[in-house]
Amino acid sequence: MQDFGLYFELGWQHICNWAGYDHILFVTVLCGMYLLADWRKVLILVTAFTIGHSVTLALSVLNVIHINSSLIEFLIPVTIVFTSLVNILKTQRSSATMKLNYVLAMFFGLIHGMGFSNYLKSLLGTSTNIVGQLFAFNLGLEFGQVLIVLAALFISFVCINFMKVKRRDWTLFLSSAIFGIAFIMCIERFQLIKFR
């Protein structure tokens, strides 16, 4: 149980750490176009992302799949850029676009899970009994992710309801700002890719 608490804490601290702000940016842009009233849609979206990154996190930590970490570090901001562009270009919210969001969230979750796995592997070292630790770390990641989602929805609520920013303008502002940051990250990380 002590291990559970330790790995749970490491999980939520990892995703909420400003030093690794790429994950914060992704979760923010993923749910930033929604309002508090859309909490069911956000829950489904976050669950899709969770399923994706849980799968590759487990497969990578258990050494079922092997990844080029420099390529994954490049692909993470690519997912942020792409999600930002979808938010910017999408003017209508239909059931078809919502389904696309869920599929993208799950697919991009696969990439982010591989990014998380490098950190978790370094923590586990040569430990052989990792199922409980993996579960606790994953739950911690989800807890941290929920904190980020709540913060993003709260900021959206304040801007739209109190500052009277139009919903579309808020989406454009948030997505454009995150797009700019992530695009610079893409350029920087592309130069660091090591092809084997």
Side-chain angles (χ1 to χ4, degrees):
M1 196 64 184
Q2 182 180 1
D3 270 1
F4 180 91
L6 173 67
Y7 281 91
F8 179 87
E9 184 177 349
L10 288 169
W12 75 261
Q13 287 180 350
H14 178 63
I15 198 167
C16 292
N17 185 348
W18 284 110
Y21 64 94
D22 48 357
H23 300 299
I24 295 172
L25 289 177
F26 180 76
V27 174
T28 301
V29 79
L30 188 64
C31 68
M33 62 182 286
Y34 297 97
L35 303 176
L36 282 172
D38 301 320
W39 67 269
R40 287 182 186 91
K41 294 175 184 174
V42 175
L43 180 63
I44 295 169
L45 195 64
V46 169
T47 301
F49 179 67
T50 298
I51 291 168
H53 78 66
S54 297
V55 168
T56 51
L57 177 62
L59 292 176
S60 181
V61 168
L62 296 170
N63 290 314
V64 175
I65 58 172
H66 301 282
I67 55 170
N68 178 341
S69 60
S70 64
L71 179 61
I72 294 301
E73 288 303 313
F74 165 70
L75 289 176
I76 288 173
V78 169
T79 66
I80 302 167
V81 165
F82 191 86
T83 305
S84 299
L85 279 175
V86 168
N87 288 353
I88 291 166
L89 298 175
K90 185 172 36 177
T91 56
Q92 299 293 325
R93 281 184 285 278
S94 66
S95 61
T97 57
M98 290 305 301
K99 288 176 185 174
L100 174 65
N101 281 356
Y102 300 145
V103 171
L104 288 175
M106 184 178 291
F107 177 72
F108 291 161
L110 295 171
I111 295 169
H112 283 252
M114 287 185 268
F116 293 137
S117 70
N118 293 329
Y119 175 73
L120 185 56
K121 278 182 180 179
S122 69
L123 291 175
L124 293 172
T126 57
S127 177
T128 54
N129 185 16
I130 62 170
V131 175
Q133 296 156 336
L134 179 62
F135 180 71
F137 183 79
N138 207 33
L139 282 180
L141 284 175
E142 294 324 302
F143 176 72
Q145 188 171 279
V146 167
L147 293 178
I148 296 166
V149 167
L150 290 175
L153 291 177
F154 177 75
I155 292 168
S156 294
F157 177 80
V158 169
C159 290
I160 292 169
N161 292 300
F162 293 108
M163 299 173 69
K164 302 301 179 189
V165 176
K166 292 180 183 174
R167 184 174 182 175
R168 179 68 184 147
D169 292 343
W170 171 249
T171 300
L172 287 174
F173 169 76
L174 182 68
S175 299
S176 299
I178 292 176
F179 172 88
I181 296 166
F183 189 74
I184 292 168
M185 290 170 65
C186 285
I187 294 169
E188 292 171 348
R189 292 184 183 184
F190 180 76
Q191 299 167 4
L192 301 174
I193 297 176
K194 297 173 185 169
F195 295 101
R196 295 172 188 170

